[in-house]
Amino acid sequence: MNNKYVIAFDQGTTSTRTIVFDEKGTIVSIAQKELKQYYPQSGWVEHDPLEIYKDQFDTFNQAVTESGINPEEIASIGITNQRETTVVWDKETGEPIHNAIVWLDKRTTGICKDLEKKGLSNYIKKNTGLVIDSYFSGTKLKWILGNVEGAQEKAEAGKLMFGTIDSWLIYKFTNGKKHVTDHTNASRTMIYNIKKLDWDERLLDELNIPKSLLPKVQTSSSDFGTIDYKGIQIPIYGVAGDQQASLFGQGGFEAGIAKSTYGTGCFILLNTGGKQVKSKKGLLTTLTCSLDSEPVNYALEGSVFAGGASIQWLRDRMKIIKKASDTEAICTSIPPLKNIYVVPAFAGLGAPHWDGKAKGSIYGMTLDTGREELIKATVEALAYQTKDVIGAMEKDSKKKIVTLKVDGGASANNYLMQFQADLLNVEVDRPKMIEVTAFGAALLAGIKAGVWTKSDIALIREIDTIFSPKMEEKIRKRKYKGWKKAIKRTKRK
Ligand code: ADP
């Protein structure tokens, strides 16, 4: 039993981490560094790719050293990363030609409008699964080529490389030997055809992107090259974008399994199996983590803009709670709400309502509405919004979800989880392992290395609590009807 540890690199928007897992899937050590954010103009967000690499290397070194394990016992490394963030570097020097443009960055809205005007919305939806938006890498890549002096010419001469953060890290860690990515990351670029599983010639043409820039796309659990660490060769055997890695870490590799991550926003994914479901409700279609010798699976993806952010609003703006976790005891201390709804449309309403102009609102207050009621209604709004997205997914896929797997900071709230189970009328399954995203990346790497098989996941992923629905059908219906009415009143159009 030599190679018994698996390492996850977890490169997120605000931090870079390395986690060492043992063969039972238990965390042995974690090292973390905050990532500097650069805001060169309003609406622009950048990261320094060299800093990302350095932080990843440093946390790797620190986590391995602190764990006290022998590096020779490391079976493999898996990488999970912030998705869509775009890096372009020089093929000869390996130096980035511009800072990384982060997924949040809005500078390419003009390029997106042009694509819409050209009538490409439908084509893009059908072939990439995405809606035209500055989030995705394609228009960011075009912006760099068009705005860095000489970049377009260099790209055409085959002298540049493009990658999402996974590709960039692999390129650096393998000393420039590998220029690769995986299905999940490719499916967020808006230039990857998720039907043909290849870069989309027409979109590359429209955006003037030479094919020579692009990484080779591999299955998520495969050989991405080797890291030389103190003379020891350690293979990178897993790569996945953060949301797909978390779906995988939750055991969501079969149709009908959904996961929701309750963080600042909520990210919800439903595995729809081998069938590419085209959403009528404004959800995205994306690729899930792929394994060698298995056909690719698709997922529907939707997000809630104000998830935990609305709990932060209670704390920092309304100042009616001291810390987020206070909300649970407050929710259980008062009787069920009678028709009070907080619609936290602070940043508009996302799927399936899509109203960017909507603003936050409160409905149903009477003279006996107090602090506790307001807090409870805000917590419940996370569950109502998640139900809206899952309802849209069920309509699109014409299937009922089987269970909802949950993670993220606010999933610690037992009241919220029970209320979620009640509203959806399905079981809500919360694992003991909180680091589901990193765990997903480790699983991909561990499966390829032979540490685990796919069927081991159910054993390694220990359940903390299953929340079973308890609410009467009549009450469930009445509550949700009230929410829908509140949404209707909140919408501007
Ligand atoms: P992110 O990864 O987006 O930073 P996390 O997964 O760390 O988010 O979750 C933090 C969010 O969850 C915060 O917005 C916080 O307000 C909320 N949160 C944390 N604990 C609780 C709780 N017990 N009840 C409700 N919300 C919570």
Side-chain angles (χ1 to χ4, degrees), residues 166 255 386 491:
D166 55 309
T386 303
K491 282 171 89 166

Side-chain angles (χ1 to χ4, degrees), residues 306-361:
S310 55
I311 308 295
Q312 285 163 252
W313 168 76
L314 291 176
R315 188 192 59 197
D316 303 336
R317 291 283 162 183
M318 301 301 282
K319 301 191 195 303
I320 53 176
I321 52 168
K322 284 218 172 68
K323 41 185 206 311
S325 55
D326 294 345
T327 54
E328 182 177 333
I330 294 166
C331 287
T332 47
S333 72
I334 57 168
L337 294 179
K338 288 202 189 97
N339 242 334
I340 302 172
Y341 297 94
V342 170
V343 182
F346 302 119
L349 286 169
H353 312 296
W354 295 112
D355 183 350
K357 294 211 174 96
K359 296 280 182 290
S361 20

Side-chain angles (χ1 to χ4, degrees), residues 400-411:
K400 286 262 170 255
I401 67 160
V402 191
T403 48
L404 179 68
K405 316 261 186 177
V406 296
D407 53 84
S411 73

Side-chain angles (χ1 to χ4, degrees), residues 122-348:
N122 237 336
Y123 181 85
I124 287 178
K125 176 104 224 181
K126 228 162 123 184
N127 293 287
T128 71
L130 306 174
V131 295
I132 298 178
D133 197 282
S134 57
Y135 266 15
F136 308 111
S137 321
T139 59
K140 298 183 195 293
L141 170 53
K142 180 182 170 65
W143 189 94
I144 293 176
L145 296 185
N147 287 274
V148 175
E149 209 187 316
Q152 187 71 40
E153 293 75 38
K154 266 186 146 178
E156 266 149 38
K159 291 184 173 165
L160 295 181
M161 288 175 160
F162 149 80
T164 38
I165 295 295
D166 55 309
S167 298
W168 166 247
L169 284 176
I170 294 168
Y171 180 82
K172 293 300 283 181
F173 273 103
T174 62
N175 262 323
K177 287 198 192 77
K178 288 279 185 173
H179 186 210
V180 289
T181 188
D182 89 303
H183 284 128
T184 66
N185 278 292
S187 72
R188 314 298 296 186
T189 58
M190 219 176 79
I191 48 176
Y192 188 73
N193 192 306
I194 61 169
K195 290 205 294 205
K196 295 183 187 153
L197 299 185
D198 199 357
W199 299 106
D200 190 281
E201 301 279 354
R202 178 169 173 200
L203 292 171
L204 293 178
D205 221 42
E206 291 286 350
L207 290 164
N208 210 7
I209 298 169
K211 212 171 173 181
S212 62
L213 263 104
L214 307 174
K216 181 178 159 237
V217 184
Q218 303 187 174
T219 50
S220 314
S221 180
S222 64
D223 185 354
F224 291 91
T226 306
I227 295 180
D228 182 326
Y229 181 67
K230 300 181 176 173
I232 298 154
Q233 306 303 309
I234 308 171
I236 305 169
Y237 276 165
V239 171
D242 51 12
Q243 296 309 322
Q244 284 98 329
S246 126
L247 180 66
F248 197 77
Q250 289 278 23
F253 31 72
E254 271 153 37
I257 300 180
K259 75 97 193 175
S260 181
T261 302
Y262 298 81
T264 312
C266 301
F267 282 95
I268 303 142
L269 264 81
L270 168 69
N271 189 325
T272 57
K275 203 169 136 237
Q276 180 194 346
V277 176
K278 197 176 151 207
S279 175
K280 292 194 182 85
K281 303 276 175 192
L283 302 169
L284 306 175
T285 310
T286 199
L287 295 174
T288 66
C289 293
S290 51
L291 297 173
D292 275 340
S293 75
E294 282 191 23
V296 297
N297 272 3
Y298 295 88
L300 283 169
E301 175 172 328
S303 54
V304 167
F305 301 150
S310 55
I311 308 295
Q312 285 163 252
W313 168 76
L314 291 176
R315 188 192 59 197
D316 303 336
R317 291 283 162 183
M318 301 301 282
K319 301 191 195 303
I320 53 176
I321 52 168
K322 284 218 172 68
K323 41 185 206 311
S325 55
D326 294 345
T327 54
E328 182 177 333
I330 294 166
C331 287
T332 47
S333 72
I334 57 168
L337 294 179
K338 288 202 189 97
N339 242 334
I340 302 172
Y341 297 94
V342 170
V343 182
F346 302 119

